[in-house]
Amino acid sequence: MIDRERLLREEDVAWRLLAERFDAVPESRFGEPALTPEGWSPKDAMFHISGWMADCGEQLTRMRAGRFDPGEESRESIERQNLAWFEASRSMPSGDVRAGFVPSRLRMLEAFRALEEVSPDAVEWFEESGALHYASHAEDLRRFLGEGDT
C-alpha cells in the first residue's frame, strides 16, 4: 500500500529546503544565467519547477477523472517542454515567475490529496515533479550560492 502521508511529508521537507535556497538568492542574481552549465538562471529554474508542478496537478486531475494517458510523456516531449519553459522564462518579469511558484505547488498538492487511490503513476508524477525534482534544483542553487556540501 502506498503511504500518501509519507509522500506528502517528503515533499514538504524537500520544498522547505528548495524555498530556503531560492530565498537566499539576492534579487540582483535571480536572472543571472549561471545556475547550470546550460545557462539557466534561478528565475528559469523557478519557472521550470512551477511548470512541472502545474503539469503534475493536471496529470493527477486526469488520473482522478480516468483520463490519464501514461504513454503521453516521452523523453523527447519532456525535453521539448523544458526548452519551451526555458525560452518563455527568459522574457518574463521576475515578479511574475515568483507569483506563480507557490500556487503551482498548491495545485499539485490539492490534486494529489484529492486522489481516491494513489496509483504508481500518481506516485511517479508526484515524486518526479515534487521532492525529487526539488532536490535536484536545490543542489544547483547550493552550488550557485557557493554554499558548502550539504
Side-chain angles (χ1 to χ4, degrees), residues 43-58:
K43 181 181 82 162
D44 300 325
M46 183 179 278
F47 187 71
H48 161 88
I49 295 164
S50 292
W52 282 114
M53 289 186 299
D55 196 32
C56 178
E58 176 62 27

Side-chain angles (χ1 to χ4, degrees), residues 21-36:
R21 294 267 166 79
F22 273 122
D23 287 347
V25 176
E27 186 60 36
S28 63
R29 295 191 67 201
F30 194 57
E32 185 180 316
L35 181 68
T36 67

Side-chain angles (χ1 to χ4, degrees), residues 26-96:
E27 186 60 36
S28 63
R29 295 191 67 201
F30 194 57
E32 185 180 316
L35 181 68
T36 67
E38 298 81 22
W40 286 34
S41 69
K43 181 181 82 162
D44 300 325
M46 183 179 278
F47 187 71
H48 161 88
I49 295 164
S50 292
W52 282 114
M53 289 186 299
D55 196 32
C56 178
E58 176 62 27
Q59 298 305 323
L60 295 172
T61 298
R62 287 180 184 178
M63 287 177 203
R64 185 169 181 234
R67 295 183 291 111
F68 175 71
D69 179 2
E72 200 171 277
E73 294 289 323
S74 68
R75 173 56 47 202
E76 294 79 25
S77 67
I78 291 169
E79 291 304 321
R80 278 192 309 272
Q81 186 60 65
N82 285 338
L83 181 58
W85 280 328
F86 175 69
E87 290 174 0
S89 69
R90 302 310 298 231
S91 62
M92 292 182 70
S94 295
D96 291 354

Side-chain angles (χ1 to χ4, degrees), residues 10-27:
E10 289 172 357
E11 186 278 341
D12 188 61
V13 168
W15 171 260
R16 289 174 189 273
L17 176 60
L18 180 68
E20 285 174 14
R21 294 267 166 79
F22 273 122
D23 287 347
V25 176
E27 186 60 36

